[in-house]
Amino acid sequence: MVWAHGLRLPHDLRIMIIAIDGPSAAGKGTLARGVAKHLGYHFLDTGSLYRMVGLSVLRGKSDAVAAARHLNPTAFNDAELRGEKVAEAASKVAAIPEVRQALLEFQRSFAQKKPGAVLDGRDIGTVICPTADFKFYVTASVQARAERRFKELEATGVTLEEITEDVKSRDERDAKQSQPADDAIFIDTSELTAEECLHEVIKVIEEGQ
Ligand code: DC
């Protein structure tokens, strides 16, 4: 981060923001959590915010916009958040501009946590933190993503074909908010293990600091 006069902000005063965007099941959550842990930064899985709103609507508690305006942070760890029904509801509420607007401030203020924050989502590098220090766009083929999701959900009796269709329809719904920033670094995880992926990203960050 360089000031207008070319002076560098002293290292201990800088707040580092790392944006990790990409489609569902591309491995960005595991990666973002790993990066945050490695660097000792705060971590926010912004998909959980949309899932909380989706869950609230599914439970008939409130409408989507009201739920987004009155987020209940205790719901962050609700086990139900990870389910496919909630994922679908989240993807629907995420298309409502007022919902996105209501969640924007929460995400931006989280990004200001010292000494730094890693946020994973869809629009972190483009809308939430367009001046992030590092922007990554994490992708993988539909097939690789469906297979990963299938491994997680196999026990529930779902088929690989169903999951593949699910991944494709979520991609279509998320397409509008899931555009890579012009200055994002692309990471294709189709052929990488989680460790290899983390290693690659940490290398980029450490070399770029
Ligand atoms: O990453 P995820 O599967 O937990 O996200 C759930 C839904 O929320 C997903 O369909 C897209 C949406 N989302 C979004 O629109 N913007 C974000 N920053 C994060 C998630």
Side-chain angles (χ1 to χ4, degrees):
M1 191 185 291
V2 179
W3 281 355
H5 306 300
L7 292 172
R8 277 192 179 271
L9 194 57
H11 203 268
D12 55 354
L13 292 179
R14 290 166 55 191
I15 296 170
M16 180 78 82
I17 302 177
I18 300 174
I20 302 190
D21 291 307
S24 64
K28 64 186 187 311
T30 308
L31 171 66
R33 205 171 264 112
V35 171
K37 191 167 172 219
H38 182 90
L39 298 171
Y41 290 174
H42 301 274
F43 166 64
L44 181 64
D45 160 17
T46 65
S48 291
L49 305 177
Y50 291 91
R51 285 172 183 260
M52 276 158 60
V53 175
L55 183 57
S56 187
V57 172
L58 284 181
R59 286 179 175 164
K61 279 196 174 165
S62 62
D63 71 75
V65 179
R69 286 184 183 150
H70 306 285
L71 273 185
N72 171 11
T74 57
F76 237 115
N77 298 317
D78 196 316
E80 245 190 278
L81 282 186
R82 303 323 313 166
E84 284 302 285
K85 272 211 173 80
V86 178
E88 196 185 331
S91 141
K92 288 179 183 157
V93 300
I96 305 170
E98 291 87 347
V99 167
R100 304 199 74 78
Q101 186 58 35
L103 297 179
L104 186 136
E105 280 315 316
F106 180 91
Q107 296 172 82
R108 280 199 181 151
S109 66
F110 187 95
Q112 291 306 314
K113 282 177 181 267
K114 286 180 190 164
V118 181
L119 289 86
D120 91 62
R122 303 293 193 287
D123 59 345
I124 309 302
T126 49
V127 177
I128 308 295
C129 304
T131 61
D133 300 85
F134 292 94
K135 298 179 187 180
F136 295 95
Y137 195 82
V138 179
T139 57
S141 65
V142 168
Q143 192 192 349
R145 289 156 54 213
E147 278 167 10
R148 279 179 201 156
R149 188 71 99 205
F150 178 63
K151 276 193 193 129
E152 286 168 18
L153 299 174
E154 208 171 356
T156 66
V158 74
T159 66
L160 178 60
E161 289 68 32
E162 284 165 342
I163 298 273
T164 307
E165 282 316 305
D166 229 52
V167 166
K168 284 186 189 162
S169 62
R170 277 181 72 194
D171 277 1
E172 274 168 33
R173 260 204 304 271
D174 295 345
K176 195 170 157 220
Q177 34 273 348
S178 193
Q179 298 300 322
D182 291 340
D183 50 350
I185 298 164
F186 277 70
I187 308 275
D188 188 326
T189 69
S190 307
E191 308 287 331
L192 296 178
T193 65
E195 291 73 30
E196 286 167 340
C197 192
L198 176 62
H199 186 258
E200 195 170 320
V201 166
I202 294 292
K203 198 167 144 230
V204 171
I205 295 171
E206 289 180 347
E207 284 174 358
Q209 267 177 341

